[in-house]
Amino acid sequence: MGFPENFLWGGAVAANQCEGAWREGGKGPSIMDVLQHGVHSLPTEGIQPGLYYPSHESVDFYHRYREDLKLMEELNFKVFRTSIGWSRIYPTGMEKEPNEEGLRFYDNLFDEIHSRGMEPLVTISHFEMPLYLSERYNGWESRELIPLFEKYCRTVLTRFGKKVKYWLTFNEINNVHTMPYAAAGIRIDRASNKAEEQQMIYQAAHNMFVANAKAVKMCHEMLPEALMGCMLSFSGVYPNSSRPEDVHATMEIEERSYFFSDVMMRGAYPWYTRKLMERQGVQLRMEQKDLELIRENTNDFLSFSYYRSTTIKDGVMTTGHTGGVKGIDNPYLDTTPWGWQIDPTGLRIVLEKLYDRYGKKLFIAENGLGARDEVVMEQGEKRIHDNYRIDYIHRHIRAIEEAIADGIEVMGYAYWGPFDIVSAGTGEMEKRYGFVYIDKDNEGNGSLERIKKDSFAWMARLVDLNGDWRSL
Ligand code: BGP
């Protein structure tokens, strides 16, 4: 038992959920800047005066990253995952030349990450794109985005190639189905019927697959030492009963996600999606070379987020959330106030299934507990007693350790939201994941003060022990 010597312990955030400074440094508005209540809400028509948009200030990482990364160093992290805001580099996506100030920001950020003893793991597009691209082209539904993304990738790979070894193309690409605006910049609310909606979704996915393959190719040609991973959301899904219909419905739900990783890891459209598209009347517009490109440029590793599990009952509608698909509650599991069921063994199962399916290295790019934390005053000091978070991590770490003991190659574990950030799902601040509390509420009030929670010292020690929880 135990974790490999070079295991990458760390934390993960996304630019739009922590940076703020939405109009500074030459940045253009991004799709997240017009959302008030997270990825399931509809964007407002442009930025409306007087309305509150959580991404505009977020937790001000843009100005406070040095302070925050110092805390990450104290946690003994080896890796820090963040994303590049596309609209910091190309404010509308259309410019011929990149915005130097945006590039400089990430130059400094990546330097700081290194100087704090961590490797950056960089998502090229984490639930965002320049707003202009969504409005003009309906996001990834249009093929026009492929060369624009290629240009953006070439810029960041050229500029940061020496500083960044680990790359991811799109965050949770399989959420194009359930949160199409955030994941692909498409407005399915503008589709006139279900068939049109499905057409948009699959077309966007196809264009993103081509863009992903081009990014992989570019990375391999330009940076032979670097790795380009893909990133999906994989929650655990179980049949609600042993009824064969429930088992089959579960399989179909899993295939909705496997579709994405099959294309990017195996390099071909799986048979089950071809059939599904045919039945839904989807006709993909593609170019001759697309399939060859996809076949020849598969990702180097598979990263994924895992928060919880759910159960599937045939005939009962499922919904999609940031934590993955949601069906019926499992009576054997505890549930958070946000309805997420805590299931460490589910993580072990997902790791085994993914390794079995692809046989390539896995990276846990997100895992964590969103909870309502309370600040209490003790001997004149602000304290946050978050034992529930310690318990959650402890149990998930043990599950990962067991999977590693089974022979699965896990590259690392990035805890989601190591300091409190804006929730992607709802736009709230009060759904907190951090080891560091940030004083800000759902309406945007607060001093932005950073306060260590009890879990901070525990996590720092766990990482220092390379995950040896027995010695804690
Ligand atoms: C994932 C996203 C993240 C993140 C996380 C937690 O789906 O990749 O951006 O926020 O879920 O979700 P939430 O913020 O809704 O609690």
Side-chain angles (χ1 to χ4, degrees):
M1 294 301 262
F3 287 81
E5 212 38 64
N6 54 357
F7 192 77
L8 291 166
W9 296 96
V13 294
N16 76 82
Q17 289 170 260
C18 69
E19 283 178 7
W22 74 288
R23 262 198 312 210
E24 283 178 58
K27 177 181 170 298
S30 93
I31 52 171
M32 292 309 270
D33 293 330
V34 286
L35 290 184
Q36 288 195 277
H37 305 291
V39 297
H40 299 291
S41 57
L42 279 179
T44 55
E45 285 308 320
I47 313 287
Q48 297 292 324
L51 294 186
Y52 175 61
Y53 296 94
S55 73
H56 290 196
E57 182 191 50
S58 301
V59 294
D60 197 30
F61 182 69
Y62 186 81
H63 296 110
R64 296 166 195 244
Y65 69 86
R66 290 200 167 83
E67 178 190 347
D68 292 332
L69 291 171
K70 179 171 177 296
L71 291 163
M72 300 302 102
E73 182 183 27
E74 284 178 39
L75 282 164
N76 298 310
F77 282 173
K78 317 257 179 297
V79 68
F80 185 72
R81 174 180 174 225
T82 189
S83 61
I84 298 178
W86 187 344
S87 66
R88 277 202 194 285
I89 310 300
Y90 288 100
T92 65
M94 307 295 291
E95 295 78 3
K96 284 211 165 59
E97 296 301 324
N99 168 34
E100 177 57 29
E101 221 179 322
L103 290 169
R104 217 175 312 125
F105 169 70
Y106 291 106
D107 256 332
N108 294 338
L109 179 67
F110 299 147
D111 285 346
E112 187 71 18
I113 293 173
H114 279 292
S115 76
R116 300 265 167 213
M118 295 175 278
E119 283 291 337
L121 165 64
V122 175
T123 318
I124 299 175
S125 176
H126 188 128
F127 287 170
E128 65 180 331
M129 66 170 58
L131 180 60
Y132 183 82
L133 298 183
S134 171
E135 288 179 344
R136 170 155 180 191
Y137 295 115
N138 199 26
W140 281 103
E141 191 197 2
S142 165
R143 223 186 144 86
E144 299 286 339
L145 261 75
I146 299 173
L148 296 171
F149 183 77
E150 243 186 301
K151 174 184 67 179
Y152 165 49
C153 276
R154 189 170 300 282
T155 302
V156 296
L157 291 183
T158 307
R159 180 75 170 232
F160 308 126
K162 286 207 175 71
K163 301 180 183 184
V164 180
K165 271 209 301 251
Y166 304 108
W167 296 90
L168 304 174
T169 45
F170 300 104
N171 182 61
E172 295 188 343
I173 185 171
N174 51 330
N175 281 337
V176 175
H177 276 300
T178 51
M179 41 191 90
Y181 185 64
I186 52 176
R187 296 287 302 263
I188 61 160
D189 55 303
R190 291 185 176 154
S192 44
N193 54 46
K194 191 89 191 144
E196 214 177 283
E197 205 179 282
Q198 292 305 307
Q199 175 69 34
M200 259 185 211
I201 288 173
Y202 281 101
Q203 188 61 52
H206 177 75
N207 293 338
M208 290 169 89
F209 291 146
V210 176
N212 175 73
K214 288 194 175 215
V216 172
K217 187 165 190 281
M218 201 186 289
C219 175
H220 290 167
E221 285 167 3
M222 290 170 62
L223 311 167
E225 305 288 301
L227 299 176
M228 185 65 79
C230 59
M231 198 302 186
L232 282 88
S233 153
F234 274 112
S235 48
V237 274
Y238 308 125
N240 188 253
S241 75
S242 51
R243 237 178 107 225
E245 288 77 6
D246 288 349
V247 177
H248 189 258
T250 307
M251 214 172 84
E252 286 189 333
I253 288 286
E254 287 189 291
E255 284 171 355
R256 276 228 303 245
S257 287
Y258 284 148
F259 157 48
F260 291 84
S261 41
D262 281 357
V263 174
M264 294 183 296
M265 300 298 289
R266 289 177 165 166
Y269 270 79
W271 59 270
Y272 53 84
T273 312
R274 286 181 185 278
K275 261 286 160 250
L276 196 67
M277 287 194 296
E278 199 180 298
R279 286 194 193 118
Q280 295 180 331
V282 172
Q283 286 185 331
L284 288 185
R285 293 182 298 277
M286 60 168 88
E287 286 182 6
Q288 229 186 349
K289 284 251 155 65
D290 286 2
L291 296 180
E292 194 182 315
L293 195 75
I294 288 171
R295 192 176 56 246
E296 288 172 359
N297 298 284
T298 53
N299 292 84
D300 299 314
F301 66 99
L302 170 58
S303 77
F304 67 99
S305 60
Y306 175 90
Y307 291 90
R308 57 171 174 78
S309 66
T310 195
T311 81
I312 306 297
K313 186 172 180 176
D314 183 41
V316 175
M317 273 272 287
T318 58
T319 48
H321 289 255
T322 34
V325 67
K326 200 164 179 325
I328 288 177
D329 276 353
N330 187 333
Y332 301 102
L333 300 174
D334 290 335
T335 308
T336 74
W338 280 271
W340 292 22
Q341 291 206 290
I342 301 173
D343 180 12
T345 305
L347 174 54
R348 183 178 179 185
I349 295 171
V350 168
L351 282 164
E352 292 189 13
K353 282 186 176 175
L354 292 177
Y355 196 62
D356 189 37
R357 201 169 177 104
Y358 304 113
K360 281 198 190 172
K361 287 185 181 161
L362 303 172
F363 199 119
I364 301 160
E366 290 180 27
N367 171 248
L369 178 68
R372 223 178 280 286
D373 293 329
E374 199 194 338
V375 185
V376 291
M377 282 305 279
E378 279 172 14
Q379 282 135 15
E381 276 191 35
K382 292 177 186 144
R383 302 285 305 272
I384 298 106
H385 301 304
D386 58 341
N387 283 337
Y388 36 88
R389 187 164 288 113
I390 294 174
D391 181 60
Y392 178 97
I393 302 170
H394 185 191
R395 291 167 61 205
H396 283 79
I397 294 301
R398 290 179 67 165
I400 301 167
E401 190 187 41
E402 279 159 359
I404 292 174
D406 288 342
I408 296 172
E409 289 176 281
V410 187
M411 296 163 70
Y413 171 87
Y415 180 82
W416 178 255
F419 46 89
D420 293 347
I421 55 176
V422 174
S423 155
T426 59
E428 289 166 285
M429 265 309 293
E430 298 293 353
K431 187 181 187 191
R432 299 173 181 278
Y433 286 86
F435 303 114
V436 178
Y437 182 94
I438 298 190
D439 179 25
K440 187 167 179 180
D441 67 15
N442 289 346
E443 286 75 45
N445 310 303
S447 64
L448 293 174
E449 183 191 358
R450 274 66 173 153
I451 308 161
K452 290 177 190 170
K453 305 180 192 175
D454 286 357
S455 56
F456 189 96
W458 181 87
M459 188 64 183
R461 177 102 179 100
L462 179 82
V463 177
D464 191 41
L465 290 166
N466 196 28
D468 180 11
W469 51 271
R470 291 170 193 83
S471 308
L472 277 171

